[in-house]
Amino acid sequence: MAESFDTSSLQDSLNLPFPATTKQTAGSVNGVQTDVVIMSFSDKIMVTISQAGRLAHWLHVPMENQNPGTEGMHTLAEGDDALLPLKDLTTTTLLGGYSPGQDTTGQLLARQIATAIAMKTPSEKRLLLVGLGLGKSTADKDSFFAIVDLVLQCL
């Protein structure tokens, strides 16, 4: 007969914060209600940006910096390059994003969010997971910056 497993020791050793820290905001982007939610887990940061309550494109960005000599810290650009996404961040589409231009816009948006997180916390190592549910009217410059501004309000 198998021995019973004592789960009381697990409660003491895991001591993780629960529930995950959640921040959210909403605003109008090109006249469309846009909701942003950021959930910070112990191993991941999840950002969802949705319009009309949908999420159709999922991406992830590893935030851990493994470049030698950086001690895990992100090196931030200076001067004119400071506004550009960090070059060492790689965005990968997990689901969706296959309509023309949607994948490129989503990847740029995910890298910009990851850069903002790295600027706030240069030692960030958690995986960034981004869920997007944006309409076609968000492909212009003003919409892009309005969405980034909403995300920055939650960081």
Side-chain angles (χ1 to χ4, degrees):
M1 179 138 89
E3 293 181 35
S4 64
F5 182 71
D6 182 21
T7 59
S8 62
S9 64
L10 289 177
Q11 184 64 29
D12 296 330
S13 64
L14 289 179
N15 209 6
L16 298 173
F18 184 82
T21 305
T22 304
K23 295 180 183 176
Q24 63 184 32
T25 190
S28 178
V29 175
N30 274 352
V32 179
Q33 174 76 14
T34 305
D35 300 305
V36 175
V37 177
I38 297 178
M39 295 181 74
S40 296
F41 297 92
S42 62
D43 62 340
K44 291 177 184 56
I45 302 170
M46 184 174 75
V47 178
T48 60
I49 305 167
S50 65
Q51 294 177 330
R54 65 187 192 112
L55 292 170
H57 187 190
W58 287 90
L59 308 105
H60 83 313
V61 183
M63 296 289 294
E64 186 171 9
N65 187 358
Q66 297 180 347
N67 292 331
T70 61
E71 298 172 2
M73 302 287 278
H74 291 282
T75 51
L76 305 175
E78 296 179 13
D80 292 338
D81 290 343
L83 298 176
L84 297 174
L86 294 175
K87 293 180 271 189
D88 59 337
L89 297 173
T90 305
T91 306
T92 305
T93 295
L94 299 173
L95 296 168
Y98 296 109
S99 66
Q102 185 182 15
D103 193 43
T104 304
T105 302
Q107 288 193 10
L108 181 59
L109 191 56
R111 280 187 63 206
Q112 193 68 49
I113 293 167
T115 299
I117 292 169
M119 290 179 80
K120 183 177 179 186
T121 312
S123 61
E124 184 61 65
K125 295 180 181 182
R126 293 177 286 177
L127 178 77
L128 173 64
L129 180 64
V130 179
L132 302 173
L134 304 174
K136 295 182 186 214
S137 64
T138 59
D140 66 355
K141 173 178 73 167
D142 293 333
S143 298
F144 181 86
F145 288 123
I147 292 168
V148 170
D149 185 50
L150 285 173
V151 172
L152 290 176
Q153 290 176 28
C154 285
L155 289 178

